[in-house]
C-alpha cells in the first residue's frame, strides 16, 4: 500500500449524469463522505475533480452536502473501542483518528476507481478505501484494505466495507424515510418488508439530551448460509421525493448492515453533552462482512500484514426502490463473470422436485428423459442420490462422488448417453463442501482439511465440512469434478450446500469467524479455477434452495435455485420477488406439473418460471398427451421471450409481493417490450379446497412507464383459457381477469 502524493485540504468529487459524490477533506485532515446522491439533472455530461482541480468530465457543485458527513470507515480495535458505547459501527475511536494521506482516480473500462489513503498516527494502522463507480449507472462498489504499518501486532474486531450518510437524499427529512429488507428462510424466500425510519428509530429529542442515540436498525446473517434469515440486501427510500439507496453485501458468509441516526462529523465526541456545531441529524448506512460481535470474527494483523473487507455495493436513484433496483441489476450484469449461459438461457429439467426426490435409477430416468425432450427441455440434470447404492442411507456417505452401480446396472453412462441422444446437455447434482461421516473420503483426508473447533472435527447433521483453505480438500474436489466433467462429459453442475457451519473453524489458530471467512474466500477461488479449466460448464448455485443467494456466488455462477418449496401456490410469491435478489436470467424457479393436476394448476406452476430460468420437473412421462402439450406450449412461449430477459429490469405493478397475497404480479421491461406475469390464487388456508375462490376475479395493474404510449397488449400464455386482458393507454393500466383460482397468465405489452 503505497501512499500517492498528499492532496491538499479540499474536495475529492465525482459527478456523472446520474451520480453525485463528494469527499471533503478538512484542514485537520479528516476525510468525510459529505455527498452521495442520485442526480436529477440528467442532461449534464458530468465530470470529476480531485483536490479541487477539474479534470476532463468535471462538473460544478452538485446537490447539497450532508451536514453530518462521516469518516470514510469505521474500524473497531480492542485497544481503542468506541467513543460512544453501543453496538453501532459509526463511532469507533480509531476511525475518527484516521487522517487523509492521499488519493487518486483512474478509469478501468466502464469503471471509475477512486482511492483514498488514510492513516492513524497513533496505532500505525493505514487504510485504503476504494470506490469503484460504474459510470452512468448510479452504482458504487466499496471495499476497505487495512495495513498494519506499526511496530506491534494489532487486533481488529470490525471494519466497514462502506460507511456513508444522507439516506434521506438532498433536502430529505428522516420522517420521509422508509427502510426495506427481505426476510429469507428455507421454503419462504424473498419476503420483502418495509418500515418507517421513525417507527424503527424514534426521535429522542437531541436538543434535550445533547447526545446521539445509541440505537440502530439492522440485520445479520451468520454461518455459511449467507441468506438464511435475511437477504444480504436492503434499501432506504424517501417516500416524498423518491430518492433511494439500495445496497448489497457481496459475501458468501456472515455479514451485517445497519442504519441509524447521527449528528457527529467524526472529529467530535458522539456522546458529548451540550450544543453541537452541526445540530442537524442524518441517517447513515454501514455495510460489513463478519465482525467480532456478530460472527466471532477477530483478526490480529502482524506488522506489515494486510486485510481486505468483503465488497459492498450501493445503487442510488431518484425513482424509488424500483429505480434503484434497475441500476443494481445493470451493475450485477456488468460485475459478474461473463458466460454464454446468461444469453442462451436453456430450459433445465431436474428430476428431483416432487418427482424422483433423490432416488434415481436407470429404469426411472429413461422415460423421464424422453418426456423431457419431447416437451422441449434442453438440459437434463440428475439430482441427488446418483452416488448412493440402493437401500443405503446416503446422507452420511456423500463425498466420494462415484456413480452407484446398483442404481445404474449398466453404468450411469447409459442414462447420460440417452440424454445426449435426445439433444440435451447432461447434468449432475453435487454437494462439494461436505463429506459424510461414513464416507471413504472421511478416512482418507487429514483433520486439517476439515472444519475443526478445539481440536475436533465439526459435525453437522452427519457431515464433516471441508475447509478449502487446505490443498488436500481442494485436490479432492478437483479430482471429483474433473472426473464428472472430463470423463463423464457432464455439462451442467448443480452445486448444493445443505448444512450451515456456525460460527466457523479455528484451524490455524484463528478466530472461528476468521477461519470461516478464509474458507469462503477459498471456495470462490476454487470456483474461479473450476470455470477456468472448464469454461463451457454451467453451474447452478443452490443451498437448500435460496440459503446462499449472494452476489459473491452469483458473480461467478450462472444461475440460482430460488427455493425448495414444494407447494406450487406458495412458490408463486417466491418467484414473483426473486428478481430483486438476482438478475432475472439467473433466477431459477421450479415448475413441476403433475398428471393428477387440473389444467389451471399446470399452467399456474408453469407460469412461475416464465420470467426467469425455467427449472422444469414433474412426472411428465405419466401425463396425458393433452397435459404434455400444455407443458410444450409453455416452453415454446418461454423460448420466444427469453432473449428479452438479459436486457430487462423488474417492476412490480402491485408492489413487492406479500406471502399471502391472492393476486401477485411481476413485470420485466426493456426499451422494446414489457412482460407482466399475473397469478391469482385462493387464500392459502383454502388452497386445498377444490374451486376455492379469492375475493375478486379481476385486477388493475398500473404500468406507469407506458402511460400515454401506444402499446399493444397480447396474452401469450396460456394459449387457451379464460384469461382476458384490456390495456388502457391513457391511464397506463392493464386489466386482467382470471375468474378461477388457481390461475395465472403472461401478458406482453409491446410499445409502438
Amino acid at each position: 500500500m503505497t501512499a500517492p502524493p498528499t492532496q491538499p485540504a479540499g474536495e475529492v468529487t465525482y459527478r456523472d449524469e446520474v451520480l453525485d459524490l463528494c469527499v471533503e477533506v478538512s484542514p485537520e485532515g479528516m476525510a468525510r463522505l459529505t455527498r452521495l446522491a442520485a442526480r436529477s439533472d440528467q442532461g449534464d455530461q458530468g465530470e470529476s475533480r480531485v483536490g479541487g482541480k477539474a479534470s476532463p468530465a468535471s462538473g460544478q457543485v452538485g446537490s447539497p452536502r450532508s451536514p453530518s458527513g462521516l469518516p470514510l470507515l469505521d474500524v473497531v480495535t480492542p485497544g481503542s473501542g468506541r467513543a460512544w458505547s453501543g453496538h453501532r459501527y459509526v463511532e469507533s475511536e480509531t476511525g475518527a483518528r484516521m487522517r487523509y494521506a492521499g488519493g487518486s482516480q483512474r478509469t478501468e473500462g466502464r469503471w471509475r476507481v477512486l482511492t483514498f489513503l488514510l492513516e492513524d498516527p497513533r496505532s500505525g494502522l493505514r487504510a485504503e478505501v476504494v470506490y469503484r463507480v460504474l459510470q452512468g449507472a448510479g452504482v458504487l462498489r466499496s471495499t476497505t484494505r487495512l495495513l498494519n504499518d506499526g511496530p506491534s501486532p494489532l487486533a481488529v474486531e470490525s471494519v466497514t466495507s462502506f460507511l456513508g450518510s444522507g439516506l434521506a437524499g438532498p433536502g430529505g427529512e428522516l420522517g420521509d424515510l422508509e427502510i426495506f429488507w427481505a426476510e429469507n428462510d428455507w421454503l419462504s424466500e424473498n419476503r420483502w418488508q418495509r418500515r418507517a425510519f421513525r417507527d424503527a428509530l424514534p426521535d429522542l429529542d437531541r436538543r434535550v439530551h445533547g447526545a446521539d442515540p445509541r440505537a440502530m436498525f439492522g440485520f445479520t446473517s451468520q454461518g455459511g448460509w449467507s441468506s438464511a434469515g435475511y437477504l444480504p440486501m436492503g434499501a432506504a427510500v424517501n417516500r416524498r421525493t423518491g430518492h433511494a439507496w439500495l445496497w448489497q453485501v457481496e459475501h458468501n458468509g456472515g455479514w451485517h448492515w445497519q442504519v441509524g441516526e447521527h449528528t457527529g462529523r467524526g472529529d467530535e465526541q458522539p456522546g458529548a453533552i451540550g450544543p453541537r456545531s452541526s445540530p442537524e441529524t442524518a441517517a447513515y448506512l454501514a455495510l460489513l462482512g463478519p465482525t467480532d460481535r456478530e460472527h466471532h470474527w477477530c483478526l490480529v494483523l502482524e506488522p506489515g500484514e494486510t486485510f481486505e473487507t468483503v465488497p459492498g455495493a450501493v445503487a442510488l436513484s431518484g425513482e424509488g426502490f424500483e429505480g434503484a433496483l434497475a441500476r443494481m441489476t445493470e451493475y450485477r450484469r456488468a460485475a459478474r463473470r461473463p458466460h454464454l449461459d446468461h444469453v442462451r438461457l436453456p430450459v433445465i429439467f431436474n428430476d428431483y422436485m416432487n418427482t424422483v426426490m433423490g432416488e434415481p435409477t436407470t429404469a426411472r430416468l429413461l422415460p423421464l428423459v424422453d418426456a423431457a425432450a419431447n416437451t422441449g427441455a434442453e438440459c437434463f440434470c440428475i439430482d441427488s442420490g446418483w452416488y448412493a447404492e440402493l437401500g443405503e442411507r446416503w446422507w452420511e456417505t456423500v463425498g466420494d462422488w462415484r456413480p452407484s452401480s446398483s442404481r445404474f446396472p449398466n453404468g450411469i453412462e447409459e442414462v447420460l448417453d440417452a440424454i445426449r441422444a435426445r439433444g440435451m446437455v447432461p447434468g449432475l447434482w453435487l454437494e462439494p463442501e461436505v463429506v459424510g461421516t461414513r464416507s471413504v473420503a472421511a478416512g482418507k483426508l487429514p483433520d486439517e482439511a476439515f472444519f475443526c473447533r478445539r481440536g475436533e472435527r465439526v459435525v453437522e447433521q452427519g457431515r464433516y465440512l471441508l475447509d478449502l483453505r487446505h490443498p488436500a480438500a481442494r485436490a479432492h474436489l478437483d479430482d471429483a469434478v474433473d472426473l464428472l466433467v472430463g470423463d463423464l462429459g457432464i455439462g451442467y453442475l448443480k452445486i448444493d450446500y445443505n448444512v450451515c457451519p456456525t460460527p466457523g473453524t479455528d484451524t490455524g489458530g484463528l478466530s472461528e469467524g476468521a477461519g470461516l471467512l478464509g474458507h469462503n474466500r477459498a471456495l470462490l477461488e476454487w470456483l474461479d479455477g473450476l470455470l477456468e479449466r472448464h469454461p463451457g460448464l454451467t453451474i447452478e448455485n443452490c443451498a437448500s434452495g435460496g440459503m446462499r443467494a449472494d452476489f459473491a456466488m452469483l458473480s461467478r455462477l450462472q444461475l440460482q435455485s430460488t427455493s425448495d418449496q414444494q407447494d406450487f401456490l406458495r412458490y408463486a410469491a417466491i418467484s414473483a420477488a426473486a428478481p430483486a435478489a438476482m438478475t432475472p436470467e439467473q433466477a431459477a424457479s421450479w415448475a413441476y406439473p403433475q398428471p393428477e393436476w387440473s389444467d389451471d394448476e399446470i399452467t399456474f406452476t408453469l407460469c412461475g418460471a416464465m420470467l426467469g430460468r425455467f427449472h422444469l420437473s414433474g412426472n411428465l412421462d405419466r401425463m396425458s398427451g393433452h397435459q404434455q402439450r400444455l407443458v410444450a406450449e409453455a416452453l415454446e412461449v418461454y423460448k420466444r421471450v427469453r432473449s428479452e430477459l438479459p436486457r430487462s429490469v423488474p417492476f412490480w405493478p402491485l408492489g413487492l409481493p406479500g406471502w399471502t397475497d391472492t393476486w401477485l404480479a411481476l413485470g420485466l421491461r426493456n426499451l422494446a417490450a414489457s412482460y407482466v406475469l399475473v397469478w391469482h390464487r385462493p387464500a392459502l388456508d383454502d388452497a386445498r379446497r377444490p374451486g376455492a375462490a379469492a375475493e375478486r376475479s379481476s385486477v388493475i395493474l398500473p404500468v406507469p412507464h407506458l402511460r400515454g404510449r401506444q402499446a399493444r397488449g397480447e396474452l401469450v400464455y396460456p394459449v387457451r383459457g379464460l384469461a382476458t386482458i384490456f390495456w388502457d393507454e391513457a391511464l397506463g393500466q392493464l386489466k386482467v381477469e382470471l375468474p378461477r383460482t388457481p390461475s395465472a397468465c403472461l401478458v406482453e405489452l409491446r410499445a409502438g
Side-chain angles (χ1 to χ4, degrees):
M1 189 184 298
T2 303
T6 301
Q7 302 283 349
E11 295 180 349
V12 179
T13 67
Y14 171 84
R15 199 181 195 213
D16 62 22
E17 61 269 27
V18 295
L19 184 68
D20 199 0
L21 179 154
C22 177
V23 172
E24 178 185 334
V25 182
S26 72
E28 298 76 27
M30 169 66 74
R32 304 181 185 90
L33 181 61
T34 57
R35 186 171 65 243
L36 181 61
R39 290 191 58 201
S40 58
D41 49 335
Q42 300 290 323
D44 190 89
Q45 293 301 306
E47 50 176 88
S48 59
R49 298 192 301 170
V50 182
K53 295 183 178 180
S55 58
S58 179
Q60 62 271 25
V61 176
S63 52
R65 298 182 180 87
S66 166
S68 304
L70 289 167
L72 300 187
L73 82 162
D74 187 270
V75 54
V76 176
T77 61
S80 294
R82 293 174 169 86
W84 187 229
S85 186
H87 304 307
R88 295 161 30 124
Y89 293 106
V90 72
E91 290 145 344
S92 68
E93 290 274 16
T94 303
R97 290 198 306 261
M98 289 291 215
R99 292 298 179 262
Y100 183 67
S104 64
Q105 291 195 41
R106 66 184 186 277
T107 299
E108 295 179 358
R110 289 190 61 190
W111 304 88
R112 187 68 172 171
V113 183
L114 293 79
T115 300
F116 305 89
L117 190 64
L118 311 170
E119 56 186 25
D120 174 19
R122 184 180 303 178
S123 67
L125 184 67
R126 299 173 68 187
E128 193 175 66
V129 177
V130 179
Y131 296 157
R132 294 177 60 87
V133 179
L134 184 60
Q135 298 182 94
V139 183
L140 174 149
R141 185 178 193 256
S142 177
T143 56
T144 300
R145 184 168 177 260
L146 300 179
L147 165 67
N148 182 4
D149 203 29
S152 304
L154 181 64
V156 178
E157 295 179 339
S158 67
V159 55
T160 51
S161 298
F162 171 82
L163 180 62
S165 68
L167 269 64
E173 302 291 338
L174 297 188
D176 300 327
L177 202 58
E178 287 188 317
I179 307 301
F180 290 67
W181 70 96
E183 296 173 357
N184 198 76
D185 256 312
W186 186 52
L187 310 180
S188 57
E189 291 87 347
N190 304 327
R191 291 173 291 119
W192 281 89
Q193 314 293 323
R194 63 202 294 178
R195 188 177 183 187
F197 183 88
R198 276 303 184 210
D199 284 346
L201 299 169
D203 186 350
L204 304 181
D205 197 342
R206 166 70 174 80
R207 292 168 297 180
V208 171
H209 296 96
D212 272 357
R214 298 187 191 273
M216 60 83 183
F217 182 75
F219 295 95
T220 301
S221 181
Q222 297 174 324
W225 281 343
S226 58
S227 52
Y230 306 97
L231 287 178
M233 292 182 64
V237 179
N238 187 313
R239 55 178 169 248
R240 179 175 58 85
T241 67
H243 192 275
W245 292 41
L246 185 140
W247 54 84
Q248 63 183 23
V249 183
E250 300 177 359
H251 182 43
N252 53 333
W255 52 266
H256 175 77
W257 67 255
Q258 63 177 233
V259 297
E261 178 183 0
H262 75 101
T263 56
R265 289 179 59 88
D267 51 0
E268 300 169 343
Q269 293 297 318
I273 304 300
R276 292 284 191 93
S277 60
S278 178
E280 297 182 53
T281 62
Y284 74 85
L285 167 68
L287 304 180
L288 303 97
T291 67
D292 182 48
R293 180 176 180 269
E294 283 81 15
H295 309 97
H296 297 228
W297 180 89
C298 180
L299 189 66
V300 177
L301 290 177
E302 298 293 334
E305 286 189 336
T306 63
F307 170 76
E308 186 169 341
T309 66
V310 305
V314 181
L316 297 106
S317 172
E319 298 179 353
F321 182 94
E322 290 181 2
L325 183 62
R327 292 181 174 181
M328 185 66 81
T329 301
E330 180 182 357
Y331 161 82
R332 289 167 175 167
R333 288 170 174 150
R336 70 190 176 193
R337 180 189 186 96
H339 198 285
L340 282 175
D341 183 80
H342 294 145
V343 178
R344 293 175 176 170
L345 313 189
V347 175
I348 301 125
F349 184 93
N350 183 298
D351 68 18
Y352 183 82
M353 188 62 75
N354 293 349
T355 310
V356 174
M357 298 298 287
E359 296 292 344
T361 63
T362 299
R364 182 68 187 93
L365 291 179
L366 289 180
L368 277 174
V369 168
D370 285 336
N374 290 341
T375 55
E378 295 157 304
C379 175
F380 190 105
C381 181
I382 304 171
D383 209 282
S384 59
W386 58 268
Y387 39 80
E389 300 304 330
L390 286 170
E392 178 184 67
R393 193 179 69 177
W394 55 259
W395 184 266
E396 297 92 349
T397 61
V398 296
D400 298 326
W401 309 122
R402 295 296 185 268
S404 164
S405 58
S406 57
R407 292 182 182 276
F408 309 103
N410 298 322
I412 198 172
E413 292 87 347
E414 180 182 6
V415 179
L416 301 179
D417 288 345
I419 293 169
R420 280 187 284 263
R422 294 305 310 269
M424 296 183 292
V425 174
L428 285 177
W429 176 95
L430 192 69
E431 195 171 1
E433 293 161 84
V434 301
V435 170
T437 54
R438 296 190 296 112
S439 68
V440 174
K444 287 184 176 180
L445 294 170
D447 286 344
E448 295 79 11
F450 297 95
F451 277 42
C452 294
R453 287 201 292 270
R454 295 158 190 84
E456 291 189 73
R457 289 188 188 182
V458 174
V459 178
E460 183 76 12
Q461 200 177 340
R463 277 104 176 270
Y464 299 126
L465 302 124
L466 286 176
D467 186 342
L468 293 186
R469 295 176 297 170
H470 197 280
R474 293 193 300 274
H476 167 72
L477 293 187
D478 285 340
D479 290 345
V481 174
D482 289 348
L483 169 70
L484 301 179
V485 178
D487 294 357
L488 296 181
I490 297 301
Y492 182 99
L493 277 181
K494 175 179 178 177
I495 288 185
D496 211 339
Y497 189 47
N498 289 305
V499 294
C500 181
T502 305
T505 173
D506 61 13
T507 301
L510 298 176
S511 66
E512 291 97 327
L516 179 59
L517 175 61
H519 162 77
N520 289 332
R521 287 177 159 169
L523 170 64
L524 299 178
E525 292 173 0
W526 177 73
L527 291 170
D528 286 337
L530 175 58
L531 288 166
E532 288 293 331
R533 295 199 310 278
H534 305 289
L537 181 66
T538 296
I539 304 179
E540 173 193 340
N541 185 38
C542 181
S544 287
M547 297 297 95
R548 194 160 63 178
D550 60 79
F551 190 69
M553 297 293 286
L554 284 171
S555 65
R556 292 160 169 85
L557 305 187
Q558 287 69 62
L559 65 162
Q560 169 72 51
S561 176
T562 53
S563 186
D564 281 350
Q565 175 59 250
Q566 292 178 253
D567 182 343
F568 70 100
L569 292 173
R570 285 171 170 80
Y571 210 126
I574 297 169
S575 299
M582 63 203 76
T583 63
E585 64 270 21
Q586 290 179 281
S589 291
W590 290 98
Y592 32 66
Q594 301 298 337
E596 64 272 18
W597 287 6
S598 69
D599 287 3
D600 286 338
E601 290 171 325
I602 289 172
T603 57
F604 188 99
T605 190
L606 292 169
C607 275
M610 285 287 193
L611 294 186
R613 294 303 300 273
F614 220 110
H615 249 177
L616 182 64
S617 195
N619 292 292
L620 305 184
D621 55 321
R622 301 176 189 172
M623 283 184 161
S624 68
H626 165 72
Q627 291 173 322
Q628 289 187 353
R629 282 192 295 275
L630 286 178
V631 178
E633 287 171 355
L635 297 192
E636 289 172 4
V637 170
Y638 177 75
K639 291 174 183 178
R640 290 204 305 270
V641 305
R642 64 183 171 186
S643 63
E644 307 267 11
L645 271 59
R647 55 193 178 94
S648 298
V649 296
F651 66 98
W652 289 271
L654 298 176
L656 288 163
W659 184 247
T660 59
D661 290 352
T662 56
W663 286 95
L664 301 166
L666 165 66
L668 292 184
R669 62 183 177 91
N670 56 55
L671 293 177
S674 296
Y675 293 91
V676 180
L677 183 55
V678 187
W679 296 264
H680 188 207
R681 42 181 199 171
L684 292 181
D685 55 357
D686 292 334
R688 295 295 170 241
R689 180 163 56 85
E695 73 278 6
R696 64 188 189 280
S697 62
S698 64
V699 65
I700 301 296
L701 305 172
V703 188
H705 65 273
L706 292 179
R707 184 183 298 124
R709 295 182 60 189
Q710 291 184 351
R712 183 182 71 256
E714 179 185 357
L715 177 67
V716 294
Y717 188 80
V719 177
R720 295 169 295 278
L722 296 179
T724 59
I725 65 169
F726 173 74
W727 169 246
D728 189 321
E729 176 183 316
L731 295 178
Q733 293 180 345
L734 175 68
K735 181 179 181 180
V736 176
E737 184 172 353
L738 291 168
R740 294 196 300 254
T741 62
S743 55
C745 67
L746 178 65
V747 177
E748 179 187 75
L749 296 167
R750 189 163 292 275

